[in-house]
Every structure is written in structure tokens, then in C-alpha cells.
Amino acid sequence: MSDQIRITLPDGSVREYPNGVTSLEIAMSISEGLARNVLAAKVNGTVQDATRPITTDSAVTLLTWNDTEGKATFWHSSAHLLAEALEELYPGIQFGIGPPIEKGFYYDVDLNGQHFSQEDFKKVEDKMLELARQKQEFVRQPISKAEAIAYFEKKGDPYKLDLLDRLDDGTITFYSQGNFTDLCRGPHIPHTGFIKAAKIMNVAGAYWRGDEKNKMLTRVYAVTFPKQKELDDYLFLLEEAKKRDHRKLGKELELFAFSEKVGAGLPLWLPKGTMLRERLENFLRKAQVRAGYQQVVTPHIGSKQLYVTSGHWEKYGEDSFKPILTPEPGEEFLLKPMNCPHHCEIYKTKPRSYRDLPLRLAEFGTVYRYEQSGELHGLTRVRGFTQDDAHIFCRPDQVKEEFIKVIDLVLYVFKSLGFEDYSAQISLRDPANKQKYIGSDELWEKAESAIIEASAERGLRTVTELGEAAFYGPKLDFMVRDALGRKWQLGTIQVDYNLPNRFELEYTGSDNQKYRPVMIHRAPFGSMERFIAILIENSGGNFPLWLSPDQIAVLPISEKYEDYANEVFLTLQENDIRGYNDLRDEKIGRKIRDSEINKVPFMLILGEKEQAEGRVSVRKKGVGDLGSMTIAEFIGFFQNEIKPAAQPAVL
Ligand SMILES: [Zn+2]
Ligand SMILES: [Zn+2]
């Protein structure tokens, strides 16, 4: 064994250390500040305790709270701390498993009849922090299976014994901190002192090993942070997210509704929601016309044979809506699950030449897919929805240019609607498993490099995933981060070599030979339903002025000014300014409050003085009083406010 080992750091630098050095000591040699933040380390690709000795030349990455794996180690260690706190407060409690999750961690426990609910959370949180302040080290101890079994038999922990049953002797480790010992393969943070804030989020029932034949345990969900402020921020965001829940706002703002009688997962668009939706459609329709798309309309059903040809019947038929029968024996139709097959048939309505391509067919096409009732969620998971769909039929040499154009369209949509933080995923073939994809090597290479180059040319922030492509072609998916930092998957652009084959699409080349076009599916919004849900949650219902269902509210302070209010309202309508005239017999304070609840951007208040001078008093939501204006002044002001989105930069 050599005395010195070589440690390669992520920046490529190599340093020598005594054999047996720990990651924590390596951190210390770099800076004390870094060492204070090290939670764990990745050594030759494996995450381990920062306190484990390293005995061979290794590549070492120090992990802190800013790394996903650092956070996971922090939260998993917090699960041990939670268990220790619970054991002190609930003697005899038995433990299942305690893994980290996306945000925090849980521990499954058997309280053996002891009561534990919301009012006990604070007590447990306080105990966790009291124990954390003792800065107890997490001590790793390899142990034989026999000794491990003896330990948990003595302690009386049947679930740990069940876990041990499936482990091999020689691979088992215990971790202890303070008075608590757990069966665990680690890794853990150096000591409990890193944990400065703890919150029990909720409890739920969970069957042991997820099997309903087993006993129902109590799953305690919690989250911890290295700073109290981070916990405060997190809880604030959760509250904000609840307030912005599109299901709640959709109801309050009267945008959409669901009816059991109509059926689960089938949204009903109310007048205001319909207005919003039509605005969005018109916005995209206009942009698409500028980008060379042609609008088409296809029916909501299609013969079963259409979907047998497209392959959808084979793939989804069994798990979706059943065929519609007619009085004609043997005649079967399906609710349209996709628009693509219809568009392929439009392509085939006449012979196409290389000069006709690209052909871009767009449709706000409503499709129906059966989702399990448990999967349904507001507007984001529904059974009937409208895609902002389009299919581009082009020559293989046009794929890159078409991709660039679609990327431009998608980015234009994002920017116009206030999504500034976006990224994209490029999904390519698994190079080790090429036979599972259809289409020639040459076509794939061409399309893949077209997507990569197009993304680079447009400066997209991308991650590339090998093996994530569909069997019929590579794709580009867009993700946006909303105002609360949540990630949503939005539009997608997908190359398809499959449907042109199945539908035997052709074009005549300049050499008079027949060729297959490439098909590109794309939907910048994804679906109108899902996109509006995200728009509501991102804006909290405060839509951009051009999208607001009600842009203004005319609020006369009493019925004496009804005629003047009508005159003002009519003039605004004539100038394409939408809203309502509140002629209710209510106090002006009440009318203003209701307009605020409805998130109306501008309130025009009028009374004696305004009527006499032919003016209105303008209030802007979130800003306050803008003073008095003549109607013409307000119209000019309004048109200026709406401009940035209504007249977006040319594509
Ligand atoms: Zn552990
Ligand atoms: Zn399609």
C-alpha cells in the first residue's frame, strides 16, 4: 500500500494526499469554508460519507447542499434524526424505511397504537432540533448478519428484521447517531449539527412494503434545511402555490368548470375562460400564418381503420375509449386520440412535388384519451383536450431549417407570455441499441444533428438524453420554470419516420423519382388546457393585459351616473377594450373590491365630477390611483400599455 494517493478534483487538478485521507480533510486542505459545507462526497462515482478514508487513487467530487446528491444525503440523514426524536417521544415505536424524496424525506413507523397527529408535530420538530444541536456524529459500523439480527430481535423491530432477511452477510452496515442505531447502507452527513430547521409536513397511511396484505404503517413526511430562512422560504412558496392552484383560481375567476353529469376529466369552458382561450388561439394562429402554416379542420372521430393504419389502435386501443358502433354491421369509429393520421390523409389528397415542401398543416384539434379517474387532475390531466397541433411534411434536407423555425415560434410564445426561464431536452437514440428504432442510420444521423445544431444556433440551454427518443424519431422537449421555481413540461417538437411509411406518403423529387417526406409533429403549448393551467399558476390569475378576459371595469359610484357609465363603456367597446359595466346597486367600495377579486387590470370610477368634466378616475390593479383622464386619454394610455404583447417582434 502506497503512502500517498492521487486525488483528481472536478476541475481536473490532481493533488497528493496521505493514504486514508477523508473527503472532509481534502475539503479542509482547499478551504475551511468549503469544509464547513461538505455533506458527502462522490468518490469514483459512488456517493459516500465525507468521513470515509480513501485508500486508492480516486476522482473526488465534494457534495454540498447545492448538489442534488448532497441534498438527498442531508434529507436521508434527517430521517434518522426524525427517528431518534420519535423514539425518545414514543417509546416502543418500530421503524420501517426512511428514504429521501424529491423535497424532504419520510419515515414509515409503527406507533403500536400510540396517538400521533398534527398537534404533535411541533413537539417532534423541537426534539429533532434539540438533538441536532448536540452535533452527534453519524458513525458507520459494518456488522455481521447474525449480530444485526440479534440487535433488532432484542430491540423488537420486526420490520428491520424483515429487511435484514433479504440482505447478504458481509454487506450489512449500521449507522448510529446519539442514542439511535439504524440498519442502513448510508451515506450520511458528518453530524446532525448541519440540520438547523425541521418541519413535519403531514402523515399518511402506507402498507409495509406497499403490500395491502401487510400492516398499515404511519408515513411521517418531513423536510429539513441547513438554515431557518430556507425553510421559511419553502413554506411561503407552498402557500403561494396553494393560492395559485389553477383549480381554485379557475373557479374563482369563472374560467372553467367540471360537471359530474358531463363526465370526469371533461372541462367546460365558461364565457371568460373561452375568451382567454380564444385570445391565445388567435395569438398563435397569427404567428403561425406568419411562419407559413396553413390551418385545417378535421373531425372528432375517424374510422377504426385509420388508426389501425397509423398504429394507434394497436398501441392504445385496449386502454382507451372503445369503438363507436353504427347501425351498419361491422362499421366502427374511434374518438380521435391524435390529429396526425387525419393530416396524413390531407397530405395524400393530391400528388406532392419537392417544390411543394415543406407543407405545414396546423389545427387546434380536440382529441380524447382515456385516463384512469385517479390520474385526472384539474386541467393538467383530462380526457378531452385541444392540442395546438401542427404537422410539417418536409424533405430530409429541410429538417434543420424547419426545426429552427419551430424553435423560434416556441420561444416567441414563451416570451410573449412571460416565461423567461426555459430549457430544453434533446432526446436521441440509444447508440448501443440501434435496431429498436425505425428509419435508416443516415436519416437518424441527419435528424439528430439537425436538432442539435438548430438548438445550438438558437442558443437554447439543453440537456441531451441518449435512449430517450421515440422509436420513430428524435425529439426536442421544452421545459419552463414558473414564478415559484416549479418546472413544467411544455411544447414538444418530434421527428417522425414512421407515419410517412405507414401512410405511404410520397413526393416527387427533382429527378422525377418518388421519395418519402419526413414528418415533424409540434405543439408549442402542448394543449390549450394544460397551457392555460400553467399560465394561471404562473401568473396567479394576473394575466397579461392582452389576455385578460376583463381588461376594464366601469364603476359608477351611484345610479345617478348610469347614463354616463353606459356612454363610457360603449366608447371603450368600440375601441376593442373588453370588460364590464358594474351597474349594481352596491357601494363603490364593494364594486372596487369585487373588481380586485376578479383581477381586473383597470378600474374606471366615475361620479359627479367625472361626469361634469367628461373624464374617468383610473385605478390600476397592484399600482393604485393613476388620476383622472379624458376617455380619449385613457384609450391612448391603454393602447400603449397593451402594445408590447399585442404587437410582438416579427418572427
Ligand atoms: Zn441511513
Ligand atoms: Zn402529431
Side-chain angles (χ1 to χ4, degrees):
M1 202 161 87
S2 63
D3 297 346
Q4 294 289 106
I5 54 171
R6 290 160 61 81
I7 299 296
T8 309
L9 295 168
D11 65 0
S13 64
V14 180
R15 296 177 178 221
E16 292 222 339
Y17 290 95
N19 195 329
V21 70
T22 68
S23 305
L24 207 50
E25 287 161 350
I26 294 171
M28 194 78 84
S29 76
I30 297 168
S31 97
E32 225 171 288
L34 175 62
R36 269 200 300 276
N37 288 312
V38 167
L39 299 174
K42 198 189 266 184
V43 179
N44 298 326
T46 307
V47 183
Q48 64 176 47
D49 302 334
T51 50
R52 283 280 289 278
I54 302 170
T55 55
T56 54
D57 291 350
S58 299
V60 174
T61 305
L62 300 164
L63 300 173
T64 69
W65 177 251
N66 296 325
D67 302 291
T68 310
E69 289 143 320
K71 273 199 186 76
T73 307
F74 185 90
W75 280 330
H76 171 64
S77 302
S78 302
H80 285 235
L81 181 67
L82 168 66
E84 185 183 6
L86 286 170
E87 193 164 61
E88 283 210 12
L89 296 168
Y90 301 89
I93 187 173
Q94 294 162 336
F95 295 100
I97 54 165
I101 51 178
E102 202 196 335
K103 203 77 198 184
F105 55 93
Y106 67 77
Y107 219 123
D108 284 346
V109 297
D110 187 342
L111 287 146
N112 280 313
Q114 299 177 84
H115 178 81
F116 179 69
S117 64
Q118 193 104 36
E119 61 269 24
D120 306 305
F121 289 1
K122 175 83 171 51
K123 185 172 68 184
V124 177
E125 291 158 9
D126 289 347
K127 178 58 84 179
M128 285 174 74
L129 294 180
E130 177 195 321
L131 294 168
R133 279 193 292 272
Q134 295 170 6
K135 297 189 180 175
Q136 298 285 2
E137 284 177 22
F138 284 91
V139 181
R140 180 178 186 273
Q141 181 200 353
I143 191 163
S144 73
K145 189 163 178 170
E147 280 176 287
I149 290 172
Y151 177 86
F152 282 110
E153 271 178 350
K154 182 153 177 273
K155 194 181 171 202
D157 226 330
Y159 307 104
K160 295 293 175 186
L161 289 168
D162 189 23
L163 291 171
L164 269 170
D165 205 31
R166 299 165 203 223
L167 296 179
D168 294 327
D169 205 1
T171 64
I172 299 167
T173 50
F174 276 6
Y175 273 85
S176 305
Q177 95 275 6
N179 292 319
F180 183 76
T181 297
D182 209 344
L183 168 69
C184 182
R185 77 170 79 86
H188 285 280
I189 59 178
H191 61 78
T192 57
F194 285 89
I195 301 164
K196 296 274 171 48
K199 182 90 187 158
I200 313 280
M201 301 304 291
N202 63 303
V203 290
Y207 292 108
W208 173 238
R209 289 191 178 282
D211 185 341
E212 59 189 88
K213 290 201 274 303
N214 291 335
K215 188 169 177 185
M216 169 91 81
L217 305 183
T218 304
R219 179 163 294 179
V220 184
Y221 286 98
V223 67
T224 51
F225 290 93
K227 283 188 187 127
Q228 180 64 38
K229 176 155 189 322
E230 290 205 37
L231 173 60
D232 295 343
D233 290 349
Y234 174 63
L235 295 177
F236 173 77
L237 282 184
L238 277 187
E239 269 314 301
E240 247 336 272
K242 255 190 231 161
K243 280 190 221 154
R244 289 164 176 243
D245 188 321
H246 76 275
R247 294 168 299 177
K248 178 174 167 285
L249 282 173
K251 200 172 191 174
E252 286 171 10
L253 301 176
E254 297 182 16
L255 300 174
F256 59 88
F258 288 92
S259 144
E260 270 180 40
K261 218 166 202 156
V262 170
L266 298 171
L268 302 173
W269 288 89
L270 306 179
K272 286 185 184 183
T274 304
M275 225 184 304
L276 174 68
R277 186 181 154 133
E278 281 179 350
R279 291 248 136 197
L280 272 176
E281 286 188 7
N282 289 339
F283 156 75
L284 188 58
R285 202 172 272 141
K286 251 190 212 164
Q288 288 181 165
V289 168
R290 283 200 300 271
Y293 288 77
Q294 301 175 77
Q295 206 73 27
V296 294
V297 175
T298 66
H300 289 236
I301 64 173
S303 90
K304 182 178 158 189
Q305 204 47 47
L306 179 68
Y307 304 105
V308 171
T309 303
S310 72
H312 292 115
W313 170 252
E314 195 190 350
K315 197 140 189 245
Y316 302 108
E318 279 308 305
D319 302 317
S320 199
F321 290 109
K322 295 295 163 217
I324 301 163
L325 305 180
T326 74
E328 196 66 41
E331 196 174 47
E332 290 180 280
F333 291 90
L334 286 179
L335 279 169
K336 176 164 72 174
M338 300 249 190
N339 302 302
C340 346
H342 290 77
H343 292 187
C344 287
E345 286 299 304
I346 290 179
Y347 181 94
K348 287 181 80 168
T349 52
K350 64 177 187 183
R352 309 280 177 182
S353 109
Y354 69 100
R355 281 194 224 92
D356 301 330
L357 304 183
L359 177 71
R360 309 181 188 94
L361 300 178
E363 175 175 18
F364 289 93
T366 304
V367 296
Y368 302 88
R369 297 177 193 171
Y370 184 77
E371 300 272 359
Q372 301 282 342
S373 55
E375 304 276 303
L376 298 172
H377 180 90
L379 288 182
T380 56
R381 285 295 279 278
V382 286
R383 287 175 174 166
F385 55 96
T386 302
Q387 294 179 310
D388 55 322
D389 212 357
H391 295 98
I392 299 165
F393 301 89
C394 66
R395 305 190 304 260
D397 64 290
Q398 293 171 319
V399 170
K400 179 179 163 188
E401 203 187 324
E402 288 307 303
F403 249 85
I404 289 179
K405 285 188 175 155
V406 181
I407 291 172
D408 285 348
L409 185 69
V410 170
L411 297 188
Y412 163 68
V413 167
F414 288 176
K415 281 178 186 152
S416 302
L417 292 161
F419 294 105
E420 301 290 344
D421 188 356
Y422 52 82
S423 59
Q425 178 179 313
I426 301 174
S427 298
L428 305 178
R429 256 188 323 181
D430 177 359
N433 201 0
K434 286 185 182 171
Q435 66 282 4
K436 74 175 201 191
Y437 302 93
I438 81 153
S440 72
D441 257 359
E442 195 201 336
L443 280 176
W444 270 84
E445 273 153 28
K446 212 173 205 164
E448 291 189 338
S449 57
I451 297 178
I452 293 166
E453 285 167 27
S455 306
E457 276 181 34
R458 283 303 183 255
L460 282 183
R461 196 148 45 90
T462 56
V463 287
T464 301
E465 296 288 346
L466 296 178
E468 286 291 304
F471 76 93
Y472 54 81
K475 63 175 175 169
L476 184 67
D477 291 310
F478 287 87
M479 246 87 68
V480 294
R481 201 184 276 277
D482 74 6
L484 301 187
R486 297 170 298 177
K487 268 191 166 180
W488 300 86
Q489 210 217 300
L490 276 181
T492 178
I493 318 176
Q494 169 108 50
V495 178
D496 188 347
Y497 298 118
N498 181 40
L499 286 184
N501 269 340
R502 285 180 164 264
F503 282 88
E504 299 176 332
L505 306 184
E506 288 177 344
Y507 67 89
T508 310
S510 55
D511 55 2
N512 247 339
Q513 301 292 307
K514 297 284 187 204
Y515 295 95
R516 278 261 183 276
V518 180
M519 190 172 175
I520 299 172
H521 312 251
R522 46 103 284 181
F525 293 156
S527 78
M528 298 310 292
E529 284 73 10
R530 185 176 159 77
F531 189 76
I532 289 174
I534 297 167
L535 197 59
I536 293 171
E537 301 222 357
N538 185 48
S539 66
N542 296 303
F543 303 113
L545 188 54
W546 64 279
L547 266 183
S548 288
D550 290 317
Q551 298 167 320
I552 51 104
V554 175
L555 310 178
I557 63 172
S558 87
E559 63 191 33
K560 273 197 283 176
Y561 312 108
E562 203 175 305
D563 288 345
Y564 181 50
N566 284 334
E567 184 193 322
V568 169
F569 187 60
L570 196 65
T571 312
L572 295 174
Q573 278 187 317
E574 281 165 358
N575 284 276
D576 279 333
I577 300 176
R578 301 182 306 273
Y580 59 88
N581 189 6
D582 192 346
L583 297 177
R584 291 177 302 163
D585 184 18
E586 293 283 357
K587 291 238 160 49
I588 186 70
R590 172 71 192 271
K591 290 184 181 180
I592 291 176
R593 241 186 351 268
D594 286 349
S595 295
E596 276 167 354
I597 290 168
N598 288 328
K599 301 184 190 287
V600 180
F602 289 102
M603 286 176 239
L604 307 182
I605 300 159
L606 42 93
E608 180 88 59
K609 190 163 176 286
E610 285 78 12
Q611 178 173 280
E613 297 173 359
R615 302 172 81 88
V616 288
S617 284
V618 182
R619 272 177 77 104
K620 185 175 179 183
K621 180 167 51 80
V623 175
D625 199 0
L626 297 184
S628 128
M629 300 183 196
T630 65
I631 300 167
E633 277 168 357
F634 176 73
I635 291 168
F637 170 78
F638 182 93
Q639 282 163 350
N640 202 42
E641 289 271 303
I642 206 169
K643 215 179 233 166
Q647 295 180 344
V650 179
L651 278 169

